[in-house]
Amino acid sequence: MSATPEITRLEVASHETVLRVHDGALGLTGFIALHSTHRGPAAGGLRMRAYASEDAALTDALRLSEGMTYKNAAAGLPLGGGKAVIMGDPATKTPDQLRAFARAIDTLGGRYWTAEDMGMSPADMAVMAGETRFVAGLPDGKFASGDPSPITARGIFNAIRITARHRLGSDDLTGRRVAVQGLGHVGAHLCDLLNRAGTRLIVADIDAARVAETQARYGAETATADGILAVEADILAPCAIGAILNADTIPTLRVAAVAGGANNQLATPEDGARLHDRGILYAPDFVANGGGIINVATEILAIEDRAGFVDEKLAALEVTMDRILTRAAQTNRSPDAVATAIVDEMPQARAA
Ligand code: NAD
């Protein structure tokens, strides 16, 4: 067994605690960023990516951990915001690297809980659980929460209904055209819920097999991966990658509203204003996709009645989304700006 890696504390004014984790012999470099523990232990996944530089990796950890503070607060969870990143191609990851990184997480004594994010799997979390108990998203165990995407999709479906009520005058989705970009874990479950609600689906993915399967299953129309952003529909539901709402794409949108599950859909905060100026109602992603962390929270918080907890928190998330869209209409501001302000008003939501 290798030793605990070299841990260096970095001073970052916006964040409570930031650690650089390094083990030269293992080829391991990563960061653990705790934005805020005011609501409870910081929670957010571990991402592994081939970052171009240490600066790029640190910036990602800082940005994502701050985002988790907002997501967890909006979901009404007693959790703060944190995130961790490991530099490197996930295909090169070794169990020793995971174990060493887990020992670094353990030194925080429960102020940070990790789970899988891009480049990590439940099996990786199981390896890490041998070194620290502050890991969720395990494949099995009494409180193991499993794949979060069905719960994420339920939350997005609710967000679509509320957005339809505000923008189209009714939350009855029968006959509404909904364009879904991305047919992975979240997109597939969302299409199922939308189909049951009588929606007319238009779908796109870079994976042609997923498009063909969805077309066959639901009689969905199809579009190209980029073309989906310009199809005429009532609602666009981005469920693939981030930054797809930007200065180039927003002028081409032909929808009344955007409500989907992808993280960081707005390329910049100004893009929230751009959508608002075009009269396109945007359901803030960190509220719409909170179902995933609600599901993971059942594991972190060791919730006995998991279904009851999920139902209660998803219902509360609907109320929060409704408040955001109501206040946005009343104050003529973008829902994204309003959502951030609402979380900032919550007790103990932010870092010091
Ligand atoms: P996934 O990897 O299972 O699916 C993503 C899908 O998007 C894949 O089918 C992929 O082929 C497709 N895709 C990738 N690039 C594309 C492009 N340019 N155009 C069209 N399709 C493209 O991921 P997922 O778990 O379904 O997550 C989807 C999004 O939702 C991500 O942004 C993720 O961060 C976010 N999210 C997921 C969860 C969850 O519970 N899984 C929770 C919160 C947020």
Side-chain angles (χ1 to χ4, degrees), residues 10 154 259:
L10 309 179
R154 275 175 61 191

Short mmCIF file of all heavy atoms in Angstrom, two decimals, residues 10 154 259:
data_model
loop_
_atom_site.label_atom_id
_atom_site.label_comp_id
_atom_site.label_asym_id
_atom_site.label_seq_id
_atom_site.Cartn_x
_atom_site.Cartn_y
_atom_site.Cartn_z
N LEU A 10 -4.13 25.28 -0.73
CA LEU A 10 -4.03 26.50 -1.53
C LEU A 10 -4.97 27.55 -0.95
O LEU A 10 -6.09 27.21 -0.53
CB LEU A 10 -4.41 26.23 -2.99
CG LEU A 10 -3.72 25.05 -3.69
CD1 LEU A 10 -4.24 24.92 -5.12
CD2 LEU A 10 -2.21 25.22 -3.69
N ARG A 154 -36.88 12.77 -13.74
CA ARG A 154 -38.16 13.18 -13.14
C ARG A 154 -38.15 14.66 -12.81
O ARG A 154 -39.12 15.38 -13.03
CB ARG A 154 -38.44 12.37 -11.86
CG ARG A 154 -39.09 11.03 -12.13
CD ARG A 154 -39.22 10.23 -10.84
NE ARG A 154 -40.03 10.88 -9.82
CZ ARG A 154 -40.10 10.47 -8.55
NH1 ARG A 154 -39.42 9.41 -8.16
NH2 ARG A 154 -40.87 11.10 -7.69
N ALA A 259 -35.63 23.95 -21.14
CA ALA A 259 -35.63 23.30 -19.82
C ALA A 259 -35.05 21.91 -20.00
O ALA A 259 -35.67 21.05 -20.62
CB ALA A 259 -37.05 23.21 -19.26
#
